Amino acid sequence: MKRFCLALLAIASICPCVRGEDDVFSGPQVGEPLPGLKYTGVFGDEEGKEIDFTAVSKDKASLVFFVHKRSRPAFALFNSLIKFTAKRDNIATGLVFLSDDASETTSWMTRIRRVFPEGATYGVSPDGLDGPGAFGLNRNVTLTVLVAEEGKVTGNFALVQPSLQADGPKIAKAIVDVTGGGDVPTAEQLAGPRDMRRTDTRRDAKLGTLVRSVIQKDASKEDVAAAVEKVEQYVADEPAARKELGQIASRIVGSDRLETYGTETAQEAIKSWAKKYGQTREKMEADKR
């Protein structure tokens, strides 16, 4: 079966007539068995221990996230869905990061522990970027999300560009279907009022594009430096953009999520912008006077 699936993927990748242009495959498809899954725990009593997700999900439905690439949209999506499933006691949720440096990924997860909601078992795969071989995962996607019931996959979502708005309700419906019904939440309900407000705070579209180039997780130091320079050049002659950049940077630095934004080089740039353009209490009082 695995060889057949891999062959089908290879054919589909070179022959558009086999599938739609936008179709992407990753992991076992609907109706196929959910393979056994083991990974290394990161938090609490599970730290450093092997997690057998098959045992964790015994007699329950399953929701599994494979995180191929780190990104803010991916975080927004799986965090909201984990919070949603945490309210249901008949589904087990596992989130597994795939990495070629398990030690670095574990250390990074530990540093940002507070951004991961309760309600899932978190870990790192010992099988590198390709993940467990039995799953047939596609390393070119950002997230692979699997929903299963009674050992068979009922929902498969291979996401190149995860979006809470576009993908959240679809995955939530798959969860509702295996957990006994109920209303399917909208993207706004999944995100909550606070998160949805944040998506509307950026007014300068060009600034947003430039900043996103800075916080790419896979960017090299040289790429980040070049992106930072473009931001600096843009805001130099745009007072409103400078003010907005200061607000964005200050908000990030003041939160507990700085380490989720790009590389360490990007994070240093964000801290520099917060200091350079951010409105401190003293500065606001001085402006009033």
Side-chain angles (χ1 to χ4, degrees), residues 43-107:
F43 304 134
D45 293 339
E46 298 165 345
E47 181 180 355
K49 298 179 181 178
E50 181 181 79
I51 295 175
D52 184 347
F53 188 73
T54 305
V56 173
S57 60
K58 184 179 180 181
D59 300 325
K60 294 183 178 182
S62 302
L63 172 64
V64 180
F65 297 91
F66 287 104
V67 185
H68 304 258
K69 301 174 185 177
R70 307 173 195 174
S71 74
R72 290 185 65 198
F75 263 80
L77 179 61
F78 66 65
N79 274 17
S80 296
L81 289 168
I82 289 171
K83 291 176 183 177
F84 175 62
T85 59
K87 301 174 184 177
R88 297 168 180 251
D89 58 9
N90 58 344
I91 185 168
T93 303
L95 186 141
V96 187
F97 278 89
L98 307 181
S99 170
D100 58 1
D101 190 339
S103 178
E104 182 277 331
T105 301
T106 299
S107 177

Side-chain angles (χ1 to χ4, degrees), residues 198-217:
R198 286 180 178 177
T199 63
D200 296 329
T201 57
R202 184 176 292 137
R203 295 179 297 276
D204 189 319
K206 183 173 181 179
L207 177 62
T209 299
L210 292 172
V211 171
R212 282 193 292 275
S213 296
V214 173
I215 61 175
Q216 293 297 313
K217 281 288 184 183

Side-chain angles (χ1 to χ4, degrees), residues 223-239:
D223 291 337
V224 174
V228 168
E229 184 176 355
K230 289 182 180 179
V231 172
E232 294 282 1
Q233 290 175 348
Y234 178 66
V235 302
D237 299 319
E238 297 285 344

Side-chain angles (χ1 to χ4, degrees), residues 14-45:
I14 60 175
C15 182
C17 63
V18 176
R19 60 178 179 84
E21 285 288 335
D22 296 328
D23 289 346
V24 179
F25 296 95
S26 182
Q29 301 300 296
V30 172
E32 295 180 353
L34 182 71
L37 174 60
K38 294 182 180 181
Y39 51 96
T40 305
V42 174
F43 304 134
D45 293 339

